[in-house]
Amino acid sequence: YGFQVYSVSPSQLLKSRNLSSDLSQTGLWRFVVEIQGRPAALLTVAETGGQWKAVAIGGAQLAAEVARVMERWPEAQGYSHRFARFYQARVDFIEVSSNGKVIGFVPLTASRLAFGMDAKFDPAALLHDSEIMPRLQKTAVDTINEN
């Protein structure tokens, strides 16, 4: 299965109050590659020169986490998802919605590490804007200042 990658521009991220409404499509798609029914990698696809092409593959741990989120919050039960990558902060989340309403964000490995959270992944653990934004904005400012 595949999903679009969403993000927020650096200037918008620093003034954002509602993460969900500020997310926009990046033009990238990621697909979970399975081997013998198990997630093995993420394949990143982008439109280049008018054609869709694979531009990266890897992230076995990330693929496994994405698969676990999809199992915990299945579309068949009315959940929808958006993969959110924040390049300035180097973190990833999966936004989970039900009936068009955001219920929270699952922090993936990079997010947990960057935010100093418990390293154990839990696909049921949801964070809300108020828990994410201050950390995300601080991490983004720190990253921008490093460069």
Side-chain angles (χ1 to χ4, degrees):
Y1 49 88
F3 48 89
Q4 289 190 69
V5 177
Y6 289 79
S7 193
V8 176
S9 71
S11 61
Q12 187 64 35
L13 177 60
L14 295 177
K15 63 183 178 182
S16 180
R17 295 289 174 250
N18 184 330
L19 195 54
S20 293
S21 64
D22 291 333
L23 289 173
S24 60
Q25 300 170 357
T26 64
L28 297 175
W29 282 77
R30 300 194 93 181
F31 294 86
V32 175
V33 177
E34 293 182 350
I35 297 175
Q36 297 179 346
R38 300 178 81 189
L42 286 177
L43 176 70
T44 304
V45 177
E47 190 173 9
T48 307
Q51 295 183 352
W52 289 96
K53 296 181 180 181
V55 295
I57 190 164
Q61 180 179 354
L62 188 55
E65 288 183 0
V66 168
R68 288 183 60 199
V69 170
M70 299 306 159
E71 289 169 8
R72 171 59 182 88
W73 307 99
E75 288 182 355
Q77 292 181 10
Y79 296 104
S80 58
H81 317 90
R82 291 196 297 178
F83 184 92
R85 168 155 283 177
F86 301 96
Y87 296 97
Q88 302 76 23
R90 300 180 189 133
V91 297
D92 305 308
F93 293 91
I94 294 181
E95 177 191 76
V96 179
S97 299
S98 179
N99 298 317
K101 182 180 178 192
V102 175
I103 58 174
F105 294 83
V106 178
L108 302 175
T109 296
S111 301
R112 293 189 319 276
L113 292 174
F115 291 175
M117 300 168 67
D118 180 7
K120 185 176 179 189
F121 175 69
D122 179 2
L126 295 172
L127 299 177
H128 303 283
D129 276 346
S130 61
E131 298 169 289
I132 295 171
M133 291 308 296
R135 292 176 178 179
L136 188 57
Q137 290 168 330
K138 180 186 181 318
T139 304
V141 167
D142 292 347
T143 301
I144 291 168
N145 288 338
E146 287 174 8
N147 298 327

